[in-house]
Amino acid sequence: MTESVRHYEVLVVGAGPAGLAAAKAAALHGARVGLVDAQPRAGGQVWRHDIAHGVPAIARRALAAIEGEQIEFLAQAQIALAQPGWLLADGPGGARKLHYRNLVLATGARELLLPFPGWTLPGVTGAGGAQALAKQGWPLAGKRVLIAGSGPLLLASAATLRRHGARVLGIHEQASSAALARFALQLPRWPAKAAQALVLQAQLAGVGYQRGSVVVAAHGDTQVREVEIEGPRGRCRIACDQLAVGYGLVPNVELAQLLGCRLERTGAHPQVAVDAQLRSSVEHVFAAGEALGIGGRDCALIEGAIAGHMAAGNAKAAQVLLPRRRQARAFATLLQQTFALDHRVHALAQDDTLVCRCEDVPLGQLRGFSDQRDAKLASRCGMGACQGRICGTALAELGLADPRLSTDDGRRPPLFPVRLAALAGLPTEPSFTDDSQGIHP
Ligand SMILES: Cc1cc2nc3c(=O)[nH]c(=O)nc-3n(C[C@H](O)[C@H](O)[C@H](O)COP(=O)(O)OP(=O)(O)OC[C@H]3O[C@@H](n4cnc5c(N)ncnc54)[C@H](O)[C@@H]3O)c2cc1C
């Protein structure tokens, strides 16, 4: 049975930097705001609560903003269904039907994990995944951890793991020395980013940063014991207790897709298409942050504020922020160019390497299909718990799957497993989009 129905003038999905900024901006204009997140606490990926070290001051300020009466925060509420004008959130607190006049999608991003021999061994995680585990109390003291993959998240993850007592053996970045040198030359154009880089450098003093270096295999029995690396000086093996490998981030577009929002693509992965004021192609639906393409925390904060002002009907306040957004997005483009994946990374998986970890499907079983749907029906690839979020994304990156840009056939509800009772009890309530019955003037 659906236990409650809520009505909001502005509903924000995702309580990361973008969602927090959107909720705050909308509330400034007096709107009644709902903020919903699947996680038990607000903060999103970057400000995930660290049980040993709390959250940084900037996060505390952003989190304090949602404590006012005008913003209702619904934690542990996962949006599983969407219709124009309302969403269904389900979680331990029960199912809730959330009606909105305007919606802001701030659903963030997830890590891009790519298959390589040994990647399913215990002790191998994503770089961001390892960071999240550390913050939740995963014991790391004295463990030898190797960090690899691509992008700035490797540095943030290494700093977190070190703070939690891990012995970080080294960071292996696949981008070339030349690409990183070009990046360093451009960095002073973004002084705040340059300052962040210096802080990370200080936190990681003594940790080696290898460029053009790729993990080609993890070896072990019941657990990873050794990692095989291919770098500019050839191959070598390094003994370790944990391996954290992440190849950047991929926008979470599934909810936007379910709502029928147009998607677009700059690389292998789709992102939500918006206009300059962050309006999606669907009326009353705005989007902000990583869902629009990977831009980082500061970009998410600016875009969240723009979307929040717009959703509350104040285009003038949004307009003021547009130049800052352009500047932040220019940095995102530089990141994309710098950390573009080397062809070696795309060729790591062998025919016997598992691609779909939920259903144990190796790469060799997926070759020869011209259509992603046929491959799925024949192999069960993507039919497990992650519903293709990991394997489908990896296949798209490897160029072996259609990234499903079409909004017609791309996504079927529910987005996540949902209790039958929640579906059975859906009440019929007037929505904001129904002018004749809406509860607001
Ligand atoms: C694992 C990981 C670790 C990261 N660590 C760092 C770091 O240390 N430093 C750094 O600068 N950047 C980090 N990033 C990058 C980071 O994602 C961004 O810079 C920033 O957090 C983006 O903010 P956002 O608000 O767009 O998205 P996010 O912070 O990703 O927030 C999105 C929120 O939406 C929620 N959500 C999504 N879909 C639904 C749904 N259907 N129902 C309910 N809730 C939903 C999620 O639970 C999440 O809390 C990390 C990214 C990942 C994936």
Side-chain angles (χ1 to χ4, degrees), residues 10-186:
V10 176
L11 175 61
V12 181
V13 182
L20 288 167
K24 181 181 170 188
L28 279 178
H29 304 295
R32 177 169 152 64
V33 180
L35 176 64
V36 56
D37 201 296
Q39 297 293 325
R41 286 175 187 254
Q45 298 288 1
V46 58
W47 295 331
R48 185 185 292 276
H49 186 76
D50 185 323
I51 60 165
H53 303 282
V55 289
I58 180 177
R60 283 199 296 278
R61 284 195 295 277
L63 292 166
I66 62 165
E67 278 162 15
E69 278 175 12
Q70 245 168 293
I71 302 173
E72 184 179 20
F73 177 49
L74 306 176
Q76 286 188 294
Q78 198 161 40
I79 302 298
L81 287 184
Q83 291 286 323
W86 63 265
L87 307 176
L88 180 79
D90 194 24
R96 298 177 182 114
K97 196 175 176 195
L98 310 177
H99 287 264
Y100 60 83
R101 185 187 297 281
N102 287 315
L103 178 66
V104 178
L105 300 176
T107 48
R110 60 179 175 271
E111 209 169 1
L112 173 62
L113 304 178
L114 293 177
F116 59 87
W119 77 298
T120 54
L121 273 173
V124 182
T125 64
Q131 187 194 40
L133 286 167
K135 289 181 176 179
Q136 286 159 22
W138 188 39
L140 277 167
K143 292 243 172 87
R144 296 165 306 165
V145 186
L146 195 125
I147 296 177
S150 199
L153 181 54
L154 305 189
L155 302 175
S157 174
T160 305
L161 300 194
R162 206 179 202 200
R163 204 163 39 242
H164 283 260
R167 272 181 59 201
V168 179
L169 300 179
I171 301 169
H172 292 263
E173 166 61 60
Q174 62 84 42
S176 68
S177 296
L180 289 159
R182 284 193 295 274
F183 176 76
L185 280 177
Q186 298 277 332

Side-chain angles (χ1 to χ4, degrees), residues 17 193 289-290 293-301 329 332 335:
K193 294 289 176 191
E290 308 280 56
I294 307 311
R297 179 198 73 187
D298 299 335
C299 184
L301 282 168
R329 278 287 158 195
L335 283 180

